[in-house]
Amino acid sequence: MHAGLLRYFPILDWGRSYGRVTFANDLMAAVIVTIMLIPQSLAYALLAGLPAEAGLYASIVPILLYAVFGTSRALAVGPVAVVSLMTAASLSDIADQGTMGYAVAALSLAALSGVMLLAMGLMRLGFLANFLSHPVIAGFITASGLLIAASQLKHVFGIPAAGHNLPEIIGSLVSGLPQTNPATLAIGVSATGFLFWVRKGLKPALRGIGVGPRAADVLTKAGPVAAVVVTTLLVWGLDLGNGDLQANPVQIVGHVPASLPPFTLPDLSLDLLSQLLLPAALISVIGFVESISVAQTLAAKRRQRVDPDQELIGLGAANLGAAFTGGFPVTGGFSRSVVNFDAGAATPAAGAFTAIGLAVAALAFTPLIHDLPKATLAATIIVAVLGLVDVSILRRSWAYSKADFAAVLGTILLTLGLGVEVGVSAGVGLSILLHLYKTSRPHVAEVGRVPGTEHFRNILRHRVETVPSILTLRIDESLYFANARYLEDIIQTRVAQDKAIDHVILQCSAINDIDLSALESLEEIMHRLSEMKVQLHLSEVKGPVMDRLERGDFLDQLTGRVFLSQHEAMMALTPRPDPQEPQKPNTRPLQIVGGTEP
């Protein structure tokens, strides 16, 4: 029972050794992350098509719940750019932005996502995230970053624009350019330029005038807050957001209620849930992959462990918290988590302290952001998401694997051309197809013995000894339904070409599993070889694979033998030389060839 509690409530583990030094580190990290998160949470709510306060609400209770159930010591949970964009895309066909129906649908989306994540965690399905290949995820995030940045240009220019994919967004922006608001454009461009400079140039400048490293780091993280304060004061001082005085005022955040997150109820009607089912699944998968990638990367730096299944539970609880407190779907954010880690966060308590800071901000500071221009929030989003864009993935995947390149390029083009839902669905499909393609055509090498050793290597890459009557094939993949027929064809073709072959040895050192379809194919291979008066042998079969083979009658029908090692097989099957006519093993010359053969 104690072990079960520790598994489902990690706070009971790290909380036992919580001390004064840890408290000081967590508190400092919380201060820095809170400063960074206030403008980000407001901006991501805007990106999701929700009121600004929803961003604050989505960053308070979810963080507290993750602190109880999560296993990462540095992950910062809350609204993130990609999930916010997916939220807007998912709800656009259900309700109009700014309506109560839209906000309730966002709550329902968070609730559904939370239930899915929680169920996956309880069923220990964290491994499902492995079906999304890293290149495909990188391509999707890159395309999403470009889409997000493009979608925010309407706020920078102060023009009406819409669209769920890049062609629609660009077309809408071009048609709206004549309505550009000069004051909004000046604010948006200035804020964007300033924030880009803050990321690269502020810290070196501060260090150059003698500011300490810790202070310089805090001031750099507070750069977006400075942009918020200055532009808000500018709009307030010049009354640029007053629609009564100006025909084309600067768009501002407006009234934000000064309150803690309210208790809200999602709409659980079957009609709405059926519309949100697929978007919730996609948001859950993408959010979990992004979160677990960040969590495991940061944990490795401190030799800590992150439990993927418990992370699902932590994120599920966080999303359920968002659903009942006026928020929208959340996950672990890359930039915030890195800042949290670098600032010295030692436990999830840093997130709890961040939640307290945000609660204070929601109560005391929201009246101060009434005149905050949306152009500044758009600049915050643009600068944040462009850091996610990694165009180099195309060059690297092209150089390494043309199949991976095709998957990355396809994901990027589909996301940009058809929208995030199609893009992420295509990414999942391409990841699975890529896996099936690679494993359905496993690398099969004909091997021979390296002279003077007991090692066997590919005859196309090494100078090796072979025996004309023995064909040894090393199969570099587990055998299952998708590649079993491929192995049949290779063996049939090779044996048919060489009438001298009397024995075929399958070197199974790389085979971790043989499913029933592959077993039936092995039986078919054995029968075909038997008709050609060729015996089938196995060597270096792993214990778990042998255990499964022994459950059936394949080994009883095997025309050859099962050898412990390939060397033992060669020694037993090599014809004995006739003393009257000495024979030597056939030595293949070294051939250097290209390709993918290991």
Side-chain angles (χ1 to χ4, degrees):
M1 180 177 179
H2 178 68
L5 286 175
L6 288 179
R7 178 181 182 270
Y8 290 110
F9 297 92
I11 189 174
L12 298 177
D13 181 25
W14 57 262
R16 289 180 300 177
S17 58
Y18 201 77
R20 184 176 300 176
V21 175
T22 306
F23 170 77
N25 291 334
D26 285 345
L27 188 61
M28 176 55 69
V31 170
I32 295 174
V33 174
T34 301
I35 293 172
M36 176 185 182
L37 190 53
I38 290 173
Q40 271 198 0
S41 60
L42 299 173
Y44 291 149
L46 179 72
L47 177 59
L50 293 162
E53 63 268 20
L56 291 174
Y57 298 159
S59 304
I60 297 176
V61 173
I63 298 178
L64 292 172
L65 289 171
Y66 180 82
V68 174
F69 295 102
T71 59
S72 172
R73 303 294 181 95
L75 190 70
V77 172
V80 299
V82 173
V83 170
S84 298
L85 176 66
M86 294 178 70
T87 298
S90 303
L91 303 182
S92 60
D93 295 330
I94 296 176
D96 294 328
Q97 291 188 10
T99 64
M100 181 60 70
Y102 189 94
V104 172
L107 299 177
S108 302
L109 185 62
L112 195 54
S113 177
V115 169
M116 288 180 175
L117 290 166
L118 197 60
M120 290 171 65
L122 293 174
M123 292 187 290
R124 302 196 176 192
L125 299 179
F127 69 92
L128 291 177
N130 298 331
F131 285 97
L132 277 173
S133 69
H134 174 72
V136 166
I137 286 294
F140 171 72
I141 291 178
T142 293
S144 297
L146 294 173
L147 269 182
I148 292 169
S151 70
Q152 295 307 295
L153 290 177
K154 64 182 180 182
H155 297 297
V156 174
F157 285 90
I159 59 178
H164 302 303
N165 55 60
L166 197 59
E168 289 179 358
I169 292 172
I170 292 177
S172 184
L173 288 171
V174 170
S175 63
L177 281 179
Q179 305 175 52
T180 298
N181 185 318
T184 300
L185 181 61
I187 292 171
V189 171
S190 300
T192 304
F194 171 74
L195 292 174
F196 272 119
W197 175 77
V198 164
R199 291 181 63 137
K200 301 293 184 181
L202 181 56
K203 191 171 183 178
L206 292 172
R207 297 288 290 128
I209 61 175
V211 177
R214 193 66 177 267
D217 191 56
V218 173
L219 291 172
T220 300
K221 299 299 186 300
V225 176
V228 166
V229 171
V230 171
T231 55
T232 301
L233 289 174
L234 181 65
V235 171
W236 173 75
L238 299 178
D239 207 14
L240 297 177
N242 192 337
D244 296 332
L245 300 178
Q246 300 182 46
N248 191 12
V250 172
Q251 294 296 311
I252 58 175
V253 170
H255 174 69
V256 177
S259 68
L260 292 174
F263 177 73
T264 53
L265 286 174
D267 182 356
L268 301 181
S269 64
L270 292 179
D271 181 53
L272 177 60
L273 293 181
S274 63
Q275 296 181 68
L276 295 177
L277 191 62
L278 179 59
L282 297 176
I283 286 174
S284 299
V285 172
I286 292 298
F288 174 63
V289 169
E290 180 178 354
S291 180
I292 196 66
S293 300
V294 177
Q296 289 178 334
T297 299
L298 297 179
K301 293 182 178 181
R302 292 180 180 169
R303 297 191 177 185
Q304 295 170 345
R305 179 179 175 274
V306 173
D307 181 353
D309 295 321
Q310 185 60 30
E311 284 298 290
L312 283 167
I313 294 175
L315 292 174
N319 276 279
L320 286 173
F324 289 96
T325 56
F328 55 98
V330 298
T331 192
F334 176 77
S335 58
R336 288 196 302 274
S337 298
V338 171
V339 169
N340 198 35
F341 179 87
D342 291 340
T347 71
F353 298 148
T354 299
I356 294 172
L358 291 170
V360 172
L363 279 173
F365 300 140
T366 50
L368 303 178
I369 62 174
H370 178 277
D371 291 309
L372 171 60
K374 291 184 177 180
T376 301
L377 295 180
T380 302
I381 294 174
I382 290 171
V383 173
V385 299
L386 288 183
L388 302 175
V389 175
D390 180 19
V391 181
S392 67
I393 188 66
L394 290 170
R395 174 182 53 79
R396 289 185 282 116
S397 60
W398 174 263
Y400 189 78
S401 168
K402 301 302 184 289
D404 282 328
F405 170 80
V408 172
L409 182 62
T411 302
I412 290 176
L413 293 179
L414 287 171
T415 303
L416 292 177
L418 299 176
V420 290
E421 288 192 16
V422 174
V424 70
S425 301
V428 173
L430 287 171
S431 294
I432 296 174
L433 287 175
L434 191 59
H435 170 74
L436 292 176
Y437 172 76
K438 289 179 178 179
T439 58
S440 66
R441 300 177 60 84
H443 179 260
V444 178
E446 184 174 344
V447 299
R449 179 168 48 205
V450 178
T453 73
E454 296 182 6
H455 299 292
F456 289 78
R457 295 291 183 268
N458 192 330
I459 66 172
L460 299 178
R461 290 183 174 271
H462 301 270
R463 187 181 298 278
V464 295
E465 296 174 343
T466 62
V467 177
S469 61
I470 301 175
L471 169 66
T472 298
L473 298 176
R474 188 190 70 222
I475 306 160
D476 296 334
E477 183 64 65
S478 292
L479 297 179
Y480 72 118
F481 64 91
N483 61 21
R485 186 60 59 85
Y486 179 73
L487 179 63
E488 285 186 44
D489 295 340
I490 285 182
I491 295 176
Q492 176 74 19
T493 302
R494 179 66 180 85
V495 174
Q497 291 174 347
D498 194 339
K499 305 301 182 184
I501 295 175
D502 295 323
H503 303 278
V504 172
I505 307 173
L506 298 183
Q507 186 179 352
C508 305
S509 54
I511 296 177
N512 297 315
D513 186 37
I514 299 177
D515 74 358
L516 187 59
S517 296
L519 181 61
E520 292 177 352
S521 288
L522 287 177
E523 292 174 346
E524 181 65 23
I525 290 170
M526 179 177 62
H527 293 319
R528 289 184 184 178
L529 291 177
S530 179
E531 291 174 355
M532 293 186 283
K533 301 190 183 321
V534 177
Q535 289 185 312
L536 177 67
H537 309 268
L538 307 179
S539 74
E540 302 185 9
V541 182
K542 294 182 177 180
V545 177
M546 180 62 77
D547 291 341
R548 297 188 67 176
L549 292 178
E550 289 175 342
R551 295 174 192 168
D553 57 359
F554 172 75
L555 295 180
D556 296 331
Q557 299 178 14
L558 187 64
T559 55
R561 298 166 53 188
V562 179
F563 295 95
L564 182 63
S565 69
Q566 181 60 31
H567 174 70
E568 178 184 312
M570 289 296 291
M571 293 295 292
L573 300 178
T574 299
R576 300 300 177 192
D578 186 344
Q580 303 298 323
E581 187 176 348
Q583 299 179 356
K584 295 182 180 179
N586 177 38
T587 300
R588 303 282 183 113
L590 179 65
Q591 301 178 49
I592 307 299
V593 297
T596 59
E597 295 165 294

